[in-house]
Amino acid sequence: MTHSPVRFGVLGTGRITRRIIADLQSTPGATVSAIASRSEERARWHADSHGIPVGVEGYRALLSRDDVDAVYIALPPSMHHEWTLAACESGKHVLCEKPVALSADQVREMIAAVNRAGVRFLDATAWLHHERTDQFRQWLTTVGPAEESVEAAAKKDDLFGDDEDDAAAIPFRLGPLRHLSASVSFPNPFLDGDHRLHADLGGGALLDLGWYSAGLARFASGRLPDEVFAHAVMRGEIIARVSATMVYADELTATLSCGFDTSTRKWFEIAGQDASIVCDDFTRPWADKPARSWVHEASGEVHSFVPPSEVGVGDVKAGVSANEPSSGRCQQERVMIGTLVDWIRRGSDCGEEKPWEAFHRQALDTQIMLDALQASIDRGAPVRLNFSTD
């Protein structure tokens, strides 16, 4: 069956917009039909620069267009809630930049609006869609009781195993999770005027980079902690760096770090009783290295993994960036966009299956954790979470 492309309109013309526009234009089944700015001149300039047919003055004017099926919201976080609700009222599907909003209450309202309107919503947390992340999900099936996780570990490792070897299996078990660590940072990253330097626009390291650190903890544990304790280093009105600890009901613990004043880090460790997963570039693979990861067993044995599409990334030919489609490596943003396009095309054909709900839950729980971390910073004390989260 042949489908017409999903036509995206872009709300906003900031720095990140340029990269995602290229990904939208390069994803099968998607196209960009219009871009909007508060200024007609700026909208037209960006439209001409990126090969977009129409530049529109005003976000609401874009939402009223018949040649737009979905919107990519690339506005500051303080505007995500307002324009997601407006998009829903106009019957448009939504790809929304991270962090999704300024509070968990706003995220709940956004999800409720999406459900009422019958449109699809996905937050632009691209690492969740990488081929390697599917491998992490598979490995996390080995965290249960010994008899269950041994059975899980005996299953064929479909992503990284040798296709010719039907006996290929996950060669380790994590065992019960004991500790999670995630650190995401980069130094002095922004130009004057960037929204991440303004607290009222949703700026600061907690919302911008804590979204990744807290999101990793939610991804690995599948749940919320019981208690968080966070400390922040301020630079004027914004949070420049955060360090935090978390405690879960079953003695699982976590440490999180994020900052705008620390060398580039994007790593995690998921430590189980019997083995731990280590990744040094989980938010986005290094441009000149494959999307690698390691598993360290308690015995001292170490397993190194690289997805099939990433083999030879360090040896790409001169003049071809490892992040270009011609390199053959997994393009996580394009997989993410393709996921949303698939949901839109399937419509009500999904039946009882609603694959977007798991991503909505991940986004909401991540925001709940960020709210709790902010409350702990404000109080200077540990904060217990309220589990009435629906």
Side-chain angles (χ1 to χ4, degrees):
M1 180 178 179
T2 302
H3 294 275
S4 298
V6 175
R7 300 165 298 178
F8 280 83
V10 179
L11 301 185
T13 55
R15 178 187 61 84
I16 196 165
T17 308
R18 297 189 294 273
R19 190 177 78 204
I20 298 298
I21 285 174
D23 289 318
L24 286 165
Q25 293 171 327
S26 302
T27 299
T31 188
V32 181
S33 57
I35 185 169
S37 176
R38 289 172 294 182
S39 158
E40 182 180 8
E41 180 181 4
R42 185 172 178 83
R44 287 180 174 175
W45 186 91
H46 278 272
D48 292 342
S49 298
H50 300 294
I52 299 171
V54 179
V56 180
E57 180 180 10
Y59 307 133
R60 199 163 294 278
L62 184 143
L63 293 178
S64 69
R65 295 183 65 88
D66 293 333
D67 60 352
V68 171
D69 306 309
V71 293
Y72 166 52
I73 299 179
L75 301 167
S78 60
M79 303 174 73
H80 291 177
H81 174 260
E82 173 188 0
W83 289 105
T84 294
L85 267 56
C88 291
E89 291 171 1
S90 299
K92 310 299 185 186
H93 307 282
V94 177
L95 176 65
C96 183
E97 259 308 321
K98 41 67 54 186
V100 169
L102 300 186
S103 70
D105 285 343
Q106 287 188 344
V107 177
R108 291 187 185 95
E109 291 176 5
M110 293 160 73
I111 293 172
V114 165
N115 291 335
R116 284 195 304 270
V119 297
R120 301 291 171 253
F121 174 92
L122 181 62
D123 63 285
T125 308
W127 75 269
L128 291 171
H129 302 268
H130 197 282
E131 175 185 18
R132 176 177 57 181
T133 306
D134 287 335
Q135 182 69 70
F136 299 152
R137 291 187 179 99
Q138 191 169 1
W139 293 343
L140 284 165
T141 64
T142 69
V143 301
E147 60 276 11
E148 295 179 11
S149 55
V150 165
E151 180 180 353
K155 294 179 181 178
K156 181 175 172 60
D157 191 336
D158 294 325
L159 283 177
F160 290 49
D162 184 345
D163 289 338
E164 297 180 358
D165 180 8
D166 290 335
I170 302 174
F172 58 84
R173 60 180 299 269
L174 293 176
L177 292 183
R178 299 306 190 204
H179 188 74
L180 311 171
S181 301
S183 295
V184 181
S185 61
F186 42 91
N188 304 317
F190 309 123
L191 300 174
D192 291 343
D194 192 294
H195 76 263
R196 284 166 286 194
L197 299 176
H198 299 276
D200 59 334
L201 297 179
L206 179 61
L207 281 175
D208 188 55
L209 300 182
W211 182 265
Y212 293 113
S213 298
L216 183 282
R218 168 55 175 79
F219 169 82
S221 66
R223 53 201 165 99
L224 291 167
D226 279 7
E227 184 178 276
V228 304
F229 190 16
H231 173 77
V233 174
M234 306 296 295
R235 293 288 183 267
E237 66 173 2
I238 69 161
I239 294 174
R241 186 178 353 124
V242 175
S243 298
T245 57
M246 298 182 174
V247 179
Y248 293 76
D250 56 358
E251 298 184 348
L252 172 65
T253 55
T255 53
L256 310 180
S257 173
C258 59
F260 293 157
D261 64 351
T262 311
S263 63
T264 301
R265 299 173 300 159
K266 42 186 179 178
W267 65 264
F268 73 69
E269 180 185 28
I270 300 172
Q273 176 177 283
D274 302 313
S276 62
I277 306 170
V278 177
C279 180
D280 71 343
D281 60 356
F282 79 97
T283 63
R284 185 177 179 81
W286 300 107
D288 60 343
K289 297 179 178 64
R292 58 207 182 174
S293 58
W294 300 266
V295 172
H296 294 250
E297 294 195 67
S299 65
E301 185 172 0
V302 178
H303 308 269
S304 179
F305 297 92
V306 173
S309 70
E310 303 280 323
V311 173
V313 163
D315 302 320
V316 294
K317 60 185 178 182
V320 177
S321 167
N323 282 325
E324 290 300 312
S326 56
S327 71
R329 75 186 310 190
C330 179
Q331 304 291 323
Q332 60 186 25
E333 285 80 10
R334 296 170 200 184
V335 176
M336 172 185 72
I337 294 163
T339 295
L340 179 58
V341 167
D342 179 61
W343 294 348
I344 294 169
R345 286 178 167 177
R346 290 167 67 185
S348 59
D349 291 342
C350 291
E352 295 298 318
E353 180 190 4
K354 297 179 180 179
W356 49 85
E357 289 185 346
F359 289 93
H360 293 178
R361 186 79 251 176
Q362 168 77 18
L364 176 57
D365 283 355
T366 300
Q367 190 68 59
I368 290 170
M369 293 164 71
L370 296 181
D371 286 2
L373 291 166
Q374 181 65 65
S376 178
I377 290 167
D378 293 342
R379 299 175 193 177
V383 167
R384 292 193 63 81
L385 276 72
N386 179 350
F387 286 96
S388 297
T389 59
D390 294 328

